[in-house]
Amino acid sequence: MKSTVARVASAVGALALTLTAAGCGGSDDGSSSADGKSSVTFWGWAPGYAQAVKAFNASHPDIKVTYQAVQPGAKGGYQKMLNAVKAGNAPCLAQLGYETLPSFAAQGALQDVSAEVSADDQADFQEAAWKSVSLGEQVFGAPVDTGPMALFYNKKVFDKLGLKPPATWAEYRTAAEKIHAADPKHYVSSPYLNYDYAGLAWQADAGWFATKGDAWQVTMDSPGNKKIADYWQGLADDHLISNAPMYDQGWYTGLGNGDIATVVGAVWQAGVIKGGTKAGAGQWAVAPMPQWDANAPKAGNAGGSATAVLKGCDDTKAAWEFAHWLSTDPTTYGTLIEKAALYPAAKKLLDLPQLNKADPYFGGQNIYPVFAEAAAQVGTDWTWGPLMTKTAADLDDGLGKAWAGKSSIADALSDAQKKTLAEMGKQGLKTTP
Amino acid sequence: MSHSSAPGAVAAAPPGARASGRPVRHRPLSRAAKPLLFCAPFLVLFAGMYLAPIIYAAVSSLSTIRRSGLGLTAPTKVFDPLGNYTRALHDDAFIGSLGRVALFGVVQVPVMLGLALGLALLLDAKSARGKGFFRLAGFLPYAVPGVSAALIWSFMYSPLSSPVNRLLAHAGVTMPFFGSDVVLWSVANIVTWSWAGYNTIIIYAALQSIPAEVLEAARVDGAGAFRTAWSIKVPAVRGALVLTTVFSVIGSAQLFNEPAVLQPVSAGSISSAFTPIMSAQSAVAAGNYPYAAAQSVILALLVGVVSITFFKITGRRESA
C-alpha cells in the first residue's frame, strides 16, 4: 500500500509538473547556447514570416531564430504577448502594429534597443515609420511596413457618369452627390471606423495624441479634427454614405456591384478588395487621396507594423540584427509583398520589382507609384496614445452611432477623448491640456 | 485536516498475518486520508484550474494600478481594496450593462423556458408523432457554436442582407433589428433559438420519470390532456425548471458571444460595454486588469445572490 501511496503521489506530482510546464509554453527570451550561438524567438502572424525566418537562419549561422505563429494581434495575439511578458517568459521579438506599440510601452512590455541601433540603421527607414517605433531617445523595434493611403475608386461607375477621380475633398463631395443622384442605391463610400478613420485625420495633420515633456496630450477634439469630422458628417447627413459596415459581406457585395464607389484606404486594401470582391475585377482603379489643399498634397497612413523587442530579451543585439534584416533584405521582402501585401517601411525597398507591375484586377494599372508618392507625403507628427485599444473601442462606439445618424462624429471624438483622459487619470498617467 | 498515523501506531498483528481473510496493512492510512488520496487527482486539478484563477482574480481586484508620467515603465500595483469596487459602482457603462442583462434575464429566461416547457409537453403528449425527429430538431441549434449562430443571425438581421426584411418589404414594412431599443431583443432571439431546444430536452427527460400509473389514475378520474399537464406534469418537472432557470440566469449574466459578434454590424447600437463581460473586456483593453477583475467579482457575487435567492424561494422540498 505504501508503494501505492507513493505511486499516486508521484503521479499527482508528475501531473502538476506537466500542468505547470503546459502553462508556461516554453519560450526562450534570447540566450546564448553552449556553442556560442544566439537564439531568439519571434512571435508573429503575417503570412510569409515563417519562410523569412528559414531564410535568415540559412544565411546567419551564428543566430538561430525560432518563429512561432500566433493569432493576429487584435484577435488575441497582443493579449498573449502581454501575458507572456507578465509571466516573464516572453519571446524576444513580436509583430506589433504601430497603433498598439505605445500601449505596450505603457505597460512596460517593450525593451529599448537604441544601444544596438546605428545611425545608418535609422537612415534605412522612412521618417514616419521610424517615429512609430521610437519614443524620444528610445527605440523599441524595427519598422516593417507602412500603410500609405490613396483613393480606390470604381472606374466603371465614375466613367459612366463622366467623373474623374476627385483631386480635392470638395470635388469628392460633388462626385458623391452625382453618384447618389444617378442611382439611389449607389453611394460614394461606407462608414470609416477606428484606424481607417484615423488615416483620414492623419492626412490633415489632425493628431490625436502628443507628448509634452513627461505628459500626454489628447487632442481628438481639436479644431483640425472637428473639420474632418464635420466634412464626413455632412456626407452622412445628406445620405451620401452607404450603411454597409466595412469588411462585412454586404460591403464586399457593394464593392462588386457599384453600390459603393470608393474606398479611401491604405495600400493593403488592394489585397482586401481583390480577395473579397471577385466581381470587381477590372472595375477598380487607384488615384491619389483627395486633398484639402491641392497645392500642398498630403497623405494619411492606416496600419503598418513593427518587429518589436519585448521586455526580458537577453540578446538584444541578435534580436535587432534579425529585426533589421527582416525589414531590409530585398529577397525576403519581395516574398512578403507577394504573400502578405506588405508595403516596405525601408526606403531602398520601394523600387523592388514586386512593387512595379501592372495588375489586371485594377484594369492593368500599376498601382504602386501612387502609393510611393503617398508614402513620401505622410505626415511625421502622428503619435498613438498609451491606451489605444480602449480609445479605439470607445471611438467606435460613438462612430457607429454617428454614421447611423444617431449622434455626430465630432461627439464621438470628444467622448472618446473624455473616456481616454478619465482612464489615463485613473491609472496615474500624466496629462496636460 | 487528516491526521496521518503516528509512526508507533502500527497494526498489532505481525506482518503477513491474516485476519478475517484480509491482508493487514503495515501502516494503515487514517480513515480520513484514504478518500482524500483517491480524490487527489481531482483536487489538484480543481485547485489549479478552478480555484487558483478565482482567487487570483479576487486578490488582484484589491489593488489599483499606478503609472506615472508617460508611463513607459511597467505599472506598479497599490493595495487599495475598495478602489476598483468604488469605481465600478460609479461606472455608468458597467452599471448600465448590469441593468441590461438583468432586463434581458427577466424577459428572455421566462419566455424561453415557457417555450421549452410547452414544447416538452407537446413532445410528451400521447398523440405526438415523430418524437425522435422533433427532439433532435429542437436540440440541433444547441450544437451550433455560439459564435457561428451569431454570424448566421447577423446575416438574417443585417439591413443589407436580411431575408426577413426582404419578405416584409413587400408589405411595405421593415424590422429594425439593430434599432437601439430592439437590438437587445434581437440578441435574446438568438439566445432563445440556441437554448430553447436544449432546455426542452431536460424538461422532457423529467417528464419521462412520471409513473405511468399516476397518469393512468388521472385519466380514470376524468382529467383531460390539459388538466393532466397542469396538475400533474408541470408540478413533476418543477425541479428541472428550477435547474434550467438557474442555468439560464447564469447564461444571461455571462452574455458575450452574440453581442460581440453583432457589434461591428449593429450601427452603434451595441457598445463595447453592452454586457458586463464586455465591460470587463474593455478594462482589459485599457491594460487595467485589476479593474476588470473587480467587475468580474461583482458580477459573480450578483449571480450568486440571485441564484441562492431563487433556490430559497423555490426550495421547498419537492413532494413526489
Side-chain angles (χ1 to χ4, degrees):
Chain A
M1 194 68 200
K2 196 172 178 178
S3 61
T4 318
V5 178
R7 264 208 301 270
V8 172
S10 64
V12 169
L15 186 67
L17 273 175
T18 322
L19 290 174
T20 331
C24 316
S27 74
D28 72 77
D29 46 8
S31 56
S32 301
S33 55
D35 56 2
K37 193 170 171 170
S38 303
S39 86
V40 170
T41 304
F42 172 37
W43 286 1
W45 61 86
Y49 273 7
Q51 206 179 329
V53 167
K54 269 203 194 94
F56 179 86
N57 286 334
S59 56
H60 295 70
D62 55 333
I63 303 175
K64 182 178 181 302
V65 178
T66 310
Y67 178 69
Q68 289 171 345
V70 295
Q71 288 291 324
K75 294 201 164 78
Y78 292 150
Q79 208 52 58
K80 185 181 160 99
M81 292 168 194
L82 289 170
N83 291 344
V85 170
K86 273 176 105 128
N89 57 10
C92 240
L93 294 168
Q95 182 179 354
L96 189 55
Y98 297 137
E99 74 291 326
T100 310
L101 204 128
S103 315
F104 267 57
Q107 301 220 26
L110 297 181
Q111 189 139 319
D112 178 15
V113 289
S114 50
E116 316 291 350
V117 182
S118 69
D120 285 353
D121 287 350
Q122 183 175 338
D124 282 338
F125 297 102
Q126 295 162 42
E127 197 187 342
W130 187 257
K131 279 202 67 161
S132 303
V133 296
S134 52
L135 272 164
E137 292 300 300
Q138 306 184 84
V139 179
F140 296 120
V144 175
D145 64 317
T146 62
M149 293 168 85
L151 179 73
F152 294 85
Y153 67 103
N154 189 320
K155 200 164 180 304
K156 196 171 140 193
V157 172
F158 272 65
D159 287 352
K160 204 170 145 191
L161 298 172
L163 291 168
K164 286 199 160 41
T168 64
W169 287 110
E171 285 176 29
Y172 185 81
R173 158 111 207 175
T174 313
E177 288 163 358
K178 284 191 176 145
I179 288 166
H180 192 58
D183 183 341
K185 282 220 293 283
H186 284 191
Y187 296 94
V188 71
S189 197
S190 54
Y192 294 94
L193 297 176
N194 55 62
Y195 305 124
D196 291 316
Y197 182 85
L200 301 172
W202 190 327
Q203 182 200 21
D205 288 328
W208 287 357
F209 292 90
T211 56
K212 209 171 165 183
D214 68 342
W216 287 96
Q217 277 181 306
V218 188
T219 52
M220 296 173 80
D221 67 353
S222 66
N225 271 295
K226 183 124 180 44
K227 180 176 115 178
I228 308 296
D230 290 347
Y231 173 82
W232 289 97
Q233 189 67 50
L235 291 175
D237 286 347
D238 295 344
H239 305 290
L240 300 174
I241 300 288
S242 154
N243 61 1
M246 248 174 143
Y247 316 118
D248 185 50
Q249 193 47 52
W251 183 71
Y252 289 116
T253 309
L255 295 181
N257 65 12
D259 284 357
I260 297 167
T262 73
V263 180
V264 188
V267 57
W268 47 264
Q269 285 287 13
V272 173
I273 295 171
K274 268 159 74 167
T277 313
K278 298 278 178 279
Q283 297 182 32
W284 285 81
V286 180
M289 223 172 155
Q291 293 299 324
W292 292 106
D293 176 358
N295 301 320
K298 287 181 173 157
N301 180 90
S305 67
T307 309
V309 185
L310 297 183
K311 179 65 87 204
C313 180
D314 294 334
D315 199 338
T316 48
K317 187 171 181 301
W320 173 255
E321 186 173 343
F322 170 75
H324 179 263
W325 176 90
L326 179 69
S327 297
T328 53
D329 182 74
T331 319
T332 301
Y333 213 100
T335 316
L336 290 176
I337 294 168
E338 283 161 3
K339 287 204 164 201
L342 297 185
Y343 192 76
K347 289 181 226 168
K348 67 169 187 186
L349 297 185
L350 291 176
D351 44 21
L352 281 174
Q354 287 87 349
L355 295 178
N356 188 16
K357 54 182 188 197
D359 189 332
Y361 186 93
F362 293 101
Q365 183 187 2
N366 176 7
I367 63 171
Y368 286 109
V370 180
F371 291 105
E373 193 186 12
Q377 297 169 349
V378 171
T380 56
D381 284 341
W382 188 271
T383 306
W384 293 109
L387 307 172
M388 208 55 224
T389 311
K390 176 83 164 65
T391 304
D394 287 336
L395 178 66
D396 279 2
D397 284 352
L399 284 179
K401 284 202 185 91
W403 290 112
K406 291 182 265 190
S407 157
S408 77
I409 299 174
D411 285 351
L413 287 159
S414 60
D415 279 353
Q417 170 164 336
K418 272 196 208 90
K419 287 177 178 163
T420 302
L421 282 168
E423 182 67 36
M424 286 165 91
K426 289 275 182 202
Q427 297 190 13
L429 292 164
K430 200 164 161 193
T431 56
T432 179
Chain B
M1 283 167 288
S2 68
H3 54 281
S4 54
S5 47
V10 192
R18 287 175 174 272
S20 65
R22 287 188 197 154
V24 176
R25 291 174 301 268
H26 293 264
R27 298 187 50 198
L29 280 162
S30 74
R31 293 183 72 93
K34 212 183 296 181
L36 272 180
L37 184 69
F38 283 113
C39 293
F42 164 77
L43 288 174
V44 168
L45 283 170
F46 179 76
M49 301 277 142
Y50 189 83
L51 286 182
I54 292 177
I55 293 167
Y56 180 78
V59 170
S60 83
S61 73
L62 301 177
S63 322
T64 50
I65 51 173
R66 294 317 291 159
R67 302 187 158 128
S68 59
L70 292 175
L72 298 187
T73 48
T76 52
K77 281 188 177 175
V78 181
F79 184 69
D80 175 11
L82 293 178
N84 288 316
Y85 290 95
T86 318
R87 182 181 171 190
L89 297 176
H90 290 97
D91 182 338
D92 292 343
F94 177 61
I95 298 294
S97 72
L98 288 174
R100 203 172 287 115
V101 293
L103 175 65
F104 178 94
V106 166
V107 175
Q108 189 265 341
V109 173
V111 167
M112 173 179 69
L113 293 179
L115 197 66
L117 177 63
L119 287 170
L121 290 169
L122 286 173
L123 271 179
D124 192 51
K126 263 198 148 42
S127 54
R129 294 283 168 270
K131 287 185 187 193
F133 168 76
F134 285 108
R135 271 207 313 252
L136 183 65
F139 193 71
L140 269 182
Y142 169 71
V144 178
V147 172
S148 314
L151 279 171
I152 297 166
W153 280 99
S154 96
F155 171 81
M156 302 284 280
Y157 290 157
S158 165
L160 299 155
S161 57
S162 173
V164 182
N165 276 339
R166 209 160 288 170
L167 287 174
L168 287 175
H170 296 301
V173 282
T174 50
M175 182 72 201
F177 291 110
F178 292 132
S180 318
D181 305 331
V182 183
V183 75
L184 186 62
W185 310 119
S186 299
V187 172
N189 179 51
I190 304 177
V191 176
T192 305
W193 176 85
S194 299
W195 292 88
Y198 167 89
N199 290 309
T200 303
I201 301 296
I202 294 180
I203 297 166
Y204 178 77
L207 286 170
Q208 303 316 299
S209 66
I210 302 174
E213 55 269 27
V214 173
L215 296 173
E216 182 65 17
R219 212 173 50 80
V220 171
D221 287 346
F226 283 99
R227 181 67 206 263
T228 309
W230 183 248
S231 302
I232 293 176
K233 290 184 176 181
V234 172
V237 297
R238 209 186 123 101
L241 284 173
V242 170
L243 185 76
T244 49
T245 303
V246 170
F247 282 173
S248 305
V249 166
I250 294 170
S252 302
Q254 295 184 339
L255 196 59
F256 178 80
N257 285 347
E258 295 83 359
V261 170
L262 293 180
Q263 188 186 3
V265 295
S266 73
S269 292
I270 295 179
S271 69
S272 53
F274 190 75
T275 72
I277 302 275
M278 288 170 84
S279 171
Q281 277 284 352
S282 82
V284 169
N288 201 336
Y289 298 85
Y291 185 46
Q295 294 185 27
S296 310
V297 170
I298 291 172
L299 180 66
L301 288 175
L302 285 174
V303 173
V305 168
V306 170
S307 305
I308 289 167
T309 311
F310 185 76
F311 275 130
K312 276 253 189 311
I313 292 170
T314 56
R316 279 162 304 170
R317 266 264 148 90
E318 275 179 66
S319 44

